[in-house]
Amino acid sequence: MNTEEKIKMQLAENPIILYMKGTPAEPRCGFSAKAAAALRSTGIDFAYVDILQAPFIAEKLPAVSNWPTYPQLFINGEIVGGSDIVEELLASGELVPMLQAATA
């Protein structure tokens, strides 16, 4: 399985997945910390990939997602965006329904 196939498998198997630097409990950049905190505040489970531990995924994912930076949140295999967008969706009240729909 090549890296792109592995990414596609991760996206198919996890309705909500955050590609981030570090872990939700120990984020290793401020943007990843913000995105993970926003997701954790919803109380809805999500998967994550620590791209610092998966350099091949970190290198290949931007070509798959057309999103150049990290973190990257995907819901049902579609890129949602980075930390600013995740925080905006949380503040507007749109994030929770999106997450609930993905896990329903």
Side-chain angles (χ1 to χ4, degrees), residues 28-101:
R28 300 201 37 209
C29 88
F31 298 108
S32 291
K34 288 180 180 182
L39 288 170
R40 291 176 80 179
S41 75
T42 68
I44 298 171
D45 290 336
F46 62 96
Y48 70 91
V49 173
D50 178 358
I51 61 158
L52 298 176
Q53 299 299 316
F56 295 113
I57 289 177
E59 180 182 314
K60 188 69 174 178
L61 184 59
V64 173
S65 65
N66 290 320
W67 192 267
T69 59
Y70 290 96
Q72 296 186 17
L73 175 65
F74 288 79
I75 298 177
N76 288 331
E78 299 291 327
I79 181 80
V80 173
S83 64
D84 290 346
I85 292 173
V86 173
E87 287 185 320
E88 288 172 15
L89 289 170
L90 179 65
S92 71
E94 296 174 76
L95 184 61
V96 171
M98 291 170 68
L99 298 175
Q100 289 173 333

